[in-house]
Amino acid sequence: MIDRSKVWTGDINRQALDPQPRTTIGLYDTTLRDGEQTIGVVLGPEDKLEIAQALDAAGVDRIEAGFPRVSDDDFHAVRLIADAGLRAEVWGFSRAVQADVDALVELGVRASVIESPISDGKLDALGVSRDTMLDRIRSAVSFAVAHGIHVAFFGVDSSRADLEFFDRAYEAAVEAGAAEVVVVDTIGIATPEAAALLVSRALDRLDVPVHWHGHDDFGLGTAAAIAAVQAGATWVQGTVNGMGERAGNADLVEVALALEALYGIPTRLDLTHARRLSRLVAEKAGTPLPPWKAVTGEALFTRESGAVAAQFHDPPAIEPYASELVGAERGIVLGKKSGIDSIRIALDRLGLDVPADRHAELLAAVKALGTKHKRLVTDTELRRLVRKTTGGTDGT
């Protein structure tokens, strides 16, 4: 559970939200399958194993190791991860197709998502009738369960499905032996209210745990996941860094921090691993993050603005939570927007002795250099400016 003393969000959320559920939410990571569907990303088996080990160390409950039928590499990756002795549950992925389930059985996978499209738009695109798809769902789920696989049925595009068929598809899967179900916003179109409606509908009709799996096409991935949890979903599926097709999936770390810090709903994720995990995935996938990205962006605890630097000594005045909660460090950088306090803090950090009456002159030089090059001023450049401005030593 998060250290509440390091969360500085005031009292408004409690007033708006109480009473609030406090059930611990399970986190199901699909970086190695859905995340790899990001355009141009290829993760080899060893890459996937390293990421899985990092997810496990961070406390992720379930790791979707991959879709074994995609390639020999994916088959091998699932085996590597399943044999790695992780604390997390290792899950597979399969369509409601016999050959896919056969691959799970061959690997000895103990738990898996089994997916099937359930919206009329998807069924029409495939040229498959509703009744035929129901037969496929029943057949695949029952076969997997008969071979000892714990199944979560994943209704593709369920957020655009006819609600009557939504009910029929999930009921058919549970009757065939699915122990859990996943409500899926495949195209990222669900508002938070729609996510809550769909999860509530599933819970009203089924006596099994419900997951939420959402995408971020309208920028609502995290909000929809939170709404799903408030409606009773006990599992959230997502990826590290929000990787995935199109606009990506809900970012699992963002969801976890929002649940814990804003809603007081616990997860088992150790958020101090957030940055390390994010950097590893970005490096392996070759997908750098924008510096302003929530939770893991490099700019979140770094300040250039002089007005903010004047309050840098008082973190709650300028930040919503402590940097150490997510494994980050605070810092001041210099550039066009710096102020006198920025100069003082930077000089102290570098051990540079510059008289206070020369700080304004040095600030002017920093601003001029930052403006000229349209970037930050480096420590080396600051030392050079100290020599030029003061005519003295830069402390080196």
Side-chain angles (χ1 to χ4, degrees):
M1 187 66 178
I2 203 167
D3 182 349
R4 300 299 309 177
S5 70
K6 295 179 179 179
V7 178
W8 309 313
T9 52
D11 198 43
I12 190 63
N13 290 321
R14 183 192 61 77
Q15 293 183 51
L17 293 166
D18 278 351
Q20 181 73 13
R22 294 290 186 267
T23 302
T24 298
I25 299 303
L27 300 178
Y28 179 111
D29 183 87
T30 181
T31 302
L32 306 181
R33 196 273 306 172
D34 214 347
E36 195 188 18
Q37 291 180 213
T38 303
I39 294 296
V41 170
V42 177
L43 299 171
E46 295 297 336
D47 295 327
K48 291 189 174 186
L49 175 61
E50 188 174 349
I51 292 169
Q53 290 168 330
L55 290 165
D56 185 53
V60 169
D61 301 278
R62 291 174 172 176
I63 299 169
E64 193 171 270
F67 183 5
R69 285 216 54 222
V70 166
S71 69
D72 290 341
D73 269 1
D74 287 271
F75 189 95
H76 179 49
V78 174
R79 174 161 283 161
L80 266 182
I81 295 166
D83 292 344
L86 304 181
R87 292 170 300 174
E89 294 179 18
V90 177
W91 281 57
F93 182 89
S94 165
R95 296 167 298 178
V97 172
Q98 185 64 45
D100 287 8
V101 184
D102 287 341
L104 297 176
V105 173
E106 181 182 350
L107 280 166
V109 170
R110 307 312 305 163
S112 184
V113 157
I114 292 182
E115 72 155 27
S116 171
I118 63 171
S119 70
D120 288 332
K122 290 283 190 185
L123 294 176
D124 290 346
L126 295 170
V128 177
S129 71
R130 289 183 175 186
D131 286 341
T132 297
M133 191 55 71
L134 289 176
D135 288 342
R136 291 183 183 180
I137 292 167
R138 295 186 187 100
S139 176
V141 170
S142 61
F143 181 83
V145 171
H147 285 80
I149 297 173
H150 181 96
V151 172
F153 174 67
F154 186 104
V156 174
D157 207 22
S158 49
S159 57
R160 296 194 298 177
D162 172 78
L163 289 178
E164 184 271 336
F165 190 64
F166 174 100
D167 297 340
R168 290 178 64 197
Y170 282 103
E171 287 166 357
V174 171
E175 288 166 4
E180 304 178 23
V181 297
V182 188
V183 177
V184 188
D185 186 23
T186 301
I187 310 297
I189 57 85
T191 63
E193 294 79 7
L197 182 153
L198 292 171
V199 167
S200 296
R201 190 177 184 94
L203 286 167
D204 285 346
R205 290 159 175 77
L206 307 168
D207 188 24
V208 297
V210 174
H211 300 222
W212 173 258
H213 177 111
H215 286 252
D216 200 37
D217 294 75
F218 285 85
L220 292 174
T222 295
I226 299 296
V229 167
Q230 290 184 301
T234 49
W235 289 92
V236 172
Q237 298 193 357
T239 61
V240 176
N241 297 337
M243 290 174 62
E245 283 192 285
R246 304 181 321 279
N249 290 253
D251 185 315
L252 208 58
V253 173
E254 285 184 19
V255 171
L257 180 62
L259 283 172
E260 298 218 21
L262 300 180
Y263 290 82
I265 298 174
T267 72
R268 283 174 283 269
L269 189 69
D270 182 349
L271 285 160
T272 64
H273 288 247
R275 297 242 164 161
R276 192 177 320 140
L277 182 58
S278 173
R279 285 194 295 267
L280 173 65
V281 172
E283 175 191 334
K284 295 294 184 184
T287 52
L289 298 181
W292 52 81
K293 179 161 175 53
V295 188
T296 53
E298 288 300 321
L300 298 190
F301 298 97
T302 303
R303 301 289 180 263
E304 180 187 357
S305 167
V308 177
Q311 306 169 58
F312 190 73
H313 64 284
D314 186 8
I318 57 174
E319 291 156 11
Y321 55 88
S323 57
E324 59 264 30
L325 279 183
V326 293
E329 295 181 0
R330 304 176 74 238
I332 288 287
V333 292
L334 299 180
K336 173 190 173 183
K337 298 178 284 293
S338 295
I340 285 292
D341 287 289
S342 309
I343 294 295
R344 176 184 53 78
I345 293 168
L347 293 175
D348 287 346
R349 176 175 60 81
L350 295 173
L352 302 178
D353 185 14
V354 177
D357 62 2
R358 306 303 295 272
H359 286 188
E361 186 180 355
L362 182 57
L363 173 61
V366 164
K367 284 176 171 288
L369 186 60
T371 300
K372 177 182 178 182
H373 294 295
K374 297 183 178 180
R375 59 168 172 78
L376 297 176
V377 173
T378 67
D379 288 349
T380 298
E381 288 170 329
L382 178 60
R383 292 179 188 278
R384 190 179 303 125
L385 290 174
V386 167
R387 289 196 299 270
K388 185 182 298 185
T389 303
T390 67
T393 178
D394 63 5
T396 62

